[in-house]
Amino acid sequence: QVRLVESGGGSVQTGGSLRLSCVVSAYNPDTSCLGWFRQAPGKEREGVAAIHWRSGFTSYTDSVKGRFTISQDNAKNTVYLQMNSLKPEDTAMYYCAADPYTISVHLDVSRFNYWGQGTQVTVSS
């Protein structure tokens, strides 16, 4: 079973940066899409960024394009989310998730079967 463990959340001021990490185990690199999602209080969970492990193709939600970068380290089985120019509206619980049954990159939350425990990101103005 796929297991994901996130780390790297915290509190920063507007304009600051954070890097989230997600260590992934028991996945198939040929068919796995790894994604970062976030959920703020009272809001639905939304896709932030995703990467397909084999192809390296990425996808981002519009609100983070140019500010966030998703990347992978195959040797460490780790996916990263580098977040720059953070804004108060980026405040949320961030989750790493895996869809182990796809050959394409996507941010369809309903297709991600495995989830980490989440890490809190708070951006103050």
Side-chain angles (χ1 to χ4, degrees), residues 8 11 14 23 27 31-33 37 61 64 66 76 83 89-91 93 97 103 108 111 117 122:
S11 297
T14 298
V23 179
Y27 66 97
T31 61
S32 291
C33 177
F37 294 80
T61 192
V64 307
K76 296 182 178 180
M83 304 185 295
E89 50 263 44
D90 294 317
T91 295
M93 184 70 78
I103 58 172
D108 183 349
R111 293 170 58 187
Q117 81 284 359
T122 302

Side-chain angles (χ1 to χ4, degrees), residues 11-38:
S11 297
V12 296
Q13 292 188 328
T14 298
S17 298
L18 285 172
R19 189 178 78 159
L20 307 182
S21 300
C22 176
V23 179
V24 190
S25 59
Y27 66 97
N28 182 339
D30 290 324
T31 61
S32 291
C33 177
L34 282 304
W36 285 99
F37 294 80
R38 64 187 180 187

Side-chain angles (χ1 to χ4, degrees), residues 73-116:
D73 184 328
N74 294 342
K76 296 182 178 180
N77 293 330
T78 301
V79 176
Y80 301 99
L81 184 67
Q82 178 66 45
M83 304 185 295
N84 298 327
S85 301
L86 283 161
K87 305 174 181 180
E89 50 263 44
D90 294 317
T91 295
M93 184 70 78
Y94 282 70
Y95 298 90
C96 181
D99 172 3
Y101 311 114
T102 182
I103 58 172
S104 61
V105 64
H106 67 88
L107 281 170
D108 183 349
V109 63
S110 66
R111 293 170 58 187
F112 284 81
N113 309 90
Y114 300 93
W115 294 82

